[in-house]
Amino acid sequence: MTGNTEVVVVGGGYAGVMAANRLTRRDDVTVTLVNPRPRFVERIRLHQLVGGSHEAMVDYGEVLAERVRLVVDTAIRIDAAERRVWLASGGPVGYDFLIYAVGSGSADPSVPGAAEFAYPITTLEEAQRLRPVLDATPATASLTVVGAGATGMETAAELAEQGRRVTLLCGGALGPYLHPRGRRSVAKRLAKLGVTVLEGPESRVTSVTRETVRLSGGHTLSSAVTIWTAGFGVPDLAARSGLSTDVTGRLRTDETLTSVDDERIVAAGDSAAPSDLPLRMSCQTARPLGAHAADTVLARIAGARPGAIDVGYFGQCIGLGRRAATVQFASRDDIANRFYLGGRLAAKIKEFACRNVVKELADEAREPGSFTWGFENDKRGRLLEAERGDALAST
C-alpha cells in the first residue's frame, strides 16, 4: 500500500489508546481516535472514584502520542462499504482501516427494579453519578453491593474501610475466578473490614426497590444504596452497523483480530470475539489486544500477513481497601492456582500495577512498538485445533 493511510480508532480506553499509539510507528499513517470523553478513564480505579480516594482520570496528553488526533465525539454507525464512521455530531470520518475498541459497560439487569433503583459503576458517568449519592447517605446506613467479581469485592472493601456498613451479595461463590486459598484470603480481609458476605444460591437478587433488596432465599434486606456490579455488556455499535457479532454483541473476528466481514476492520479489547473464543474482559487483556490490532493493521499496510494473537495471563489483582489486596496467580491460560499474596505487600503490587498501566501507555506514545507481552496461552491453541478437528469431522 502506497501513500498516506488513514486509520480511525473507535474507543479511547486501554486497548484503543495502545493501538492508536502503536500505529504511529509509521510516518505515512494518520491516526484519529474517536472517544466520547476528553480525558482518559482509568477504569480499574472506578471503585476508588466511588470511594472518593481517586478521580480515575488522566489527561490524554499524558498517554496519547502527539501525532494522534483526538476527536471528542460518539460513533453512532460504521459504514463499512463507504469506509466511514458517522458521529453523533452529524459528520462522518473516513478511514482506510478501522480499529474497533469500544470496550464494555454494565449489562442491562433483568432483575425487577435493578435498572431503576440500583447504581452500576462500570463507566465513568455511572461512578460519578453514585459518588454524590453516597456523600448524602448517612455513614450508618446499610449499603449493598451486588456481584462478587473483582469490581464488587473492591467496591465493598473500599466503602467498608471508610466505616460504612456493607453487605456483599455473591449470588454464588465469592470471587468465582479465585482459587480456594485466594478466596479465603479475600474473605478474611472483608470480614476484618466488617463486610457481611452472603454466598450461595440463596444470595441471588430477585428484586430491588428504593430501600430494599429481595433475595432468592426469601429474605429481604434493607439497603439505603444498592450498587450493581453483576455482569458486563458491550455497546451495540457493531450490530447496529450490520457487522457480525457474537451473542453478547462483541465483534466476531479471526485470530488476527480482523472482522470476519471486512479485512479493513480490526477489533481490540473487551469488544472483540476472536474465533468465537473471546478472552477475559480485563485491562490485562486490553493492552496486548490493542497492540496486536495495531500490528495487524501495520502488517496489512506493509503487504505482509498478520500474525495470530497469543495472549496469556498471570492472574488477578484485587484491591481490598487502601491498605490490603490479594494477588491471585494463575497459569498462562488463565486458570487460578494455589499461589497468592495478601496484605500490604499485595496492596503495593496492586497500586504498582495500576500506575504501570498508565506508564505503559505513555511509554508507547513516546516510543511506539515498545510494549511487549511475554505470556503465551497454550490452551487457546489446543481449543482452536480441537474446533478445527470437529469442523472437519462434520463435513
Side-chain angles (χ1 to χ4, degrees):
M1 186 173 289
T2 60
N4 189 73
T5 302
E6 300 277 350
V7 183
V8 172
V9 180
V10 180
Y14 298 106
V17 170
M18 178 62 76
N21 288 342
R22 201 172 185 89
L23 287 165
T24 63
R25 297 176 75 176
R26 289 184 63 121
D27 293 335
D28 59 351
V29 172
T30 300
V31 185
T32 300
L33 179 68
V34 177
N35 192 67
R37 307 176 188 89
R39 300 183 72 193
F40 176 76
V41 177
E42 292 187 76
R43 183 169 172 179
I44 55 178
R45 291 192 186 272
L46 287 179
H47 66 284
Q48 291 179 251
L49 189 157
V50 168
S53 63
H54 202 285
E55 67 170 346
M57 289 184 288
V58 298
D59 292 333
Y60 270 114
E62 296 182 32
V63 297
L64 200 60
E66 291 183 2
R67 282 184 48 209
V68 177
R69 180 172 73 106
L70 175 64
V71 174
V72 181
D73 210 330
T74 301
I76 58 172
R77 184 169 62 87
I78 299 167
D79 185 341
E82 297 294 329
R83 295 181 195 162
R84 295 185 296 186
V85 180
W86 287 92
L87 305 179
S89 60
V93 178
Y95 66 84
D96 294 305
F97 289 93
L98 180 141
I99 292 183
Y100 185 84
V102 297
S104 62
S106 301
D108 292 332
S110 57
V111 173
E116 295 85 358
F117 302 114
Y119 293 84
I121 59 169
T122 55
T123 68
L124 174 68
E125 291 76 16
E126 290 168 346
Q128 288 176 329
R129 172 175 168 248
L130 175 57
R131 179 65 253 165
V133 172
L134 289 172
D135 287 342
T137 302
T140 57
S142 297
L143 309 180
T144 303
V145 177
V146 180
T151 302
M153 292 184 288
E154 290 185 326
T155 302
E158 191 80 19
L159 296 174
E161 194 174 61
Q162 301 173 6
R164 295 280 194 169
R165 294 173 54 201
V166 181
T167 297
L168 177 61
L169 300 178
C170 302
L174 173 69
Y177 174 86
L178 302 173
H179 185 275
R181 295 185 75 217
R183 186 174 297 119
R184 286 194 292 270
S185 172
V186 171
K188 183 178 179 180
R189 173 61 180 172
L190 291 175
K192 185 174 182 180
L193 290 171
V195 177
T196 299
V197 177
L198 299 183
E199 297 185 79
E202 293 190 350
S203 65
R204 183 173 54 85
V205 177
T206 58
S207 66
V208 180
T209 71
R210 194 180 302 278
E211 297 178 344
T212 65
V213 175
R214 187 168 180 80
L215 307 183
S216 54
H219 299 294
T220 298
L221 306 178
S222 296
S223 181
V225 179
T226 300
I227 303 169
W228 198 272
T229 71
F232 289 93
V234 297
D236 64 350
L237 176 61
R240 282 190 284 112
S241 301
L243 298 170
S244 296
T245 62
D246 69 2
V247 293
T248 63
R250 290 172 288 207
L251 183 68
R252 293 183 61 237
T253 76
D254 63 16
E255 285 294 284
T256 72
L257 299 180
T258 302
S259 165
V260 298
D261 302 309
D262 189 331
E263 71 171 13
R264 291 180 177 266
I265 298 177
V266 180
D270 290 354
S271 54
S275 303
D276 286 322
L277 290 172
L279 297 154
R280 171 159 54 102
M281 289 184 175
S282 68
C283 171
Q284 194 176 159
T285 307
R287 286 131 54 230
L289 287 192
H292 193 98
D295 289 347
T296 291
V297 171
L298 292 171
R300 294 198 187 283
I301 293 172
R305 183 177 179 178
I309 57 171
D310 194 358
V311 179
Y313 294 84
F314 72 85
Q316 189 178 66
C317 295
I318 301 167
L320 298 169
R322 298 299 87 217
R323 294 183 292 277
T326 291
V327 178
Q328 170 69 70
F329 295 101
S331 60
R332 292 177 298 182
D333 56 5
D334 210 22
I335 304 299
N337 58 40
R338 64 190 299 272
F339 300 106
Y340 74 94
L341 292 173
R344 290 184 179 271
L345 175 59
K348 290 180 179 180
I349 293 173
K350 167 71 173 178
E351 180 59 26
F352 171 81
C354 290
R355 292 181 181 180
N356 195 56
V357 168
V358 174
K359 181 180 182 299
E360 286 175 347
L361 297 177
D363 288 347
E364 188 71 17
R366 289 190 295 268
E367 187 181 348
S370 62
F371 176 76
T372 60
W373 57 102
F375 298 98
E376 297 179 350
N377 192 331
D378 299 327
K379 183 180 179 181
R380 184 175 185 83
R382 294 195 299 270
L383 287 172
L384 289 170
E385 284 298 323
E387 283 201 350
R388 293 189 188 104
D390 291 343
L392 288 172
S394 64
T395 58

